[in-house]
Amino acid sequence: MPGEELSSKEAHALFDILTSHVTLTEIEDLKYPKTIATFGPPLQSSATSKTSSPLLRILLQSFVLNIPGLRNVTSHFWTDSINKLTTALDDANLSESYDKGSVGIRRTLSTALASIVESVSRGRLGGYPKQSVKQDGQYDQTNPDDVVKAWDDFLQRIIYGDLLDKMFLKAAETDQLSDHEPVVQAAHQYALIM
C-alpha cells in the first residue's frame, strides 16, 4: 500500500536484493573498456564527475588500498599496469556464454567474484551485526548447515578479528588451501557453491 513503511525484515530483504543487483551489474560491466576509463581514482589520475562503478570504487578505496603491499604502490601501478591487465583480459575474449554445455569462464569468474564482493558490500554499506563464532573451529564441508555457519564465522572473523591478516601470512607461506584454517577452507566451499 502507498505510504506504508517496510518492516525490518522487508527492508533487509530489499537491501540484499539491491546490493546483489548492483554488485553483479558493476562486475559484469568491467568487461567494457569504458567502465575502467570512467572508474576514477586510483585507476585514473584525475577524478571523474561520475564514476562508472561507485560500489566497487568504495570497496577499492576502503579495503584494497589499505592492504599491506598495495597501500604504498605508485599511481603509475594503478593507471598503467591495471589498465594493461584489463585490456589484456578484454583481448583474451573470455567466453561468457555456454560453451559445450557448461558455463563460460567469464561468467564463472564474475559469479565467484560477485559472491565475495556482495558480502563485503553489504557489510560496508549496511554494517554486519556481530555474532558469536563456532568455538571448536571445525566444519563438516559435506553438511550444508556447517558450510553456511563457516561462511558467517569467516565474515565475523574478517570484520571483527584478524583472520584477513592470518590469511595473507598463510598465503605467503603456501598456495595450498588445505594449509589454511578450517574456517577458510569451508568458507571457500561456500563461495564455490554460491
Side-chain angles (χ1 to χ4, degrees):
M1 295 197 184
E4 190 175 316
E5 287 190 31
L6 297 175
S7 70
S8 176
K9 244 182 172 175
E10 292 169 329
H12 183 75
L14 179 59
F15 177 73
D16 285 352
I17 290 167
L18 293 174
T19 306
S20 179
H21 174 73
V22 169
T23 301
L24 191 55
T25 299
E26 287 189 16
I27 289 172
E28 286 183 344
D29 284 350
L30 290 174
K31 67 185 171 188
Y32 303 113
K34 179 183 174 208
T35 303
I36 298 299
T38 58
F39 192 89
L43 302 184
Q44 278 72 50
S45 55
S46 62
T48 59
S49 59
K50 184 177 179 183
T51 179
S52 56
S53 305
L55 183 58
L56 293 178
R57 187 167 159 196
I58 287 169
L59 297 178
L60 180 71
Q61 292 175 331
S62 299
F63 299 108
V64 177
L65 295 180
N66 294 312
I67 293 174
L70 289 180
R71 69 172 69 126
N72 296 326
V73 298
T74 65
S75 60
H76 171 77
F77 169 80
W78 296 106
T79 56
D80 295 336
S81 301
I82 296 299
N83 282 333
K84 286 179 185 172
L85 174 64
T86 57
T87 300
L89 287 172
D90 185 48
D91 291 345
N93 198 22
L94 298 176
S95 170
E96 67 177 297
S97 61
Y98 287 90
D99 290 339
K100 300 178 185 173
S102 64
V103 177
I105 294 170
R106 183 177 293 202
R107 173 65 64 187
T108 301
L109 291 174
S110 70
T111 302
L113 181 60
S115 70
I116 295 168
V117 171
E118 184 179 328
S119 292
V120 174
S121 300
R122 285 184 186 143
R124 174 66 172 88
L125 298 176
Y128 196 75
K130 193 169 187 174
Q131 301 170 352
S132 63
V133 296
K134 193 171 183 178
Q135 292 304 312
D136 67 3
Q138 298 301 315
Y139 303 91
D140 178 1
Q141 293 186 35
T142 62
N143 179 342
D145 292 332
D146 249 20
V147 172
V148 169
K149 177 64 176 151
W151 181 255
D152 289 338
D153 290 353
F154 175 78
L155 294 176
Q156 289 290 324
R157 290 186 54 199
I158 283 181
I159 295 167
Y160 298 110
D162 61 352
L163 183 59
L164 191 59
D165 294 330
K166 288 180 178 180
M167 287 172 49
F168 274 106
L169 291 172
K170 184 57 76 174
E173 294 172 14
T174 180
D175 61 356
Q176 298 297 312
L177 178 62
S178 59
D179 293 337
H180 284 267
E181 293 184 39
V183 69
V184 175
Q185 296 174 40
H188 176 263
Q189 185 70 19
Y190 177 91
L192 287 176
I193 293 169
M194 295 312 287

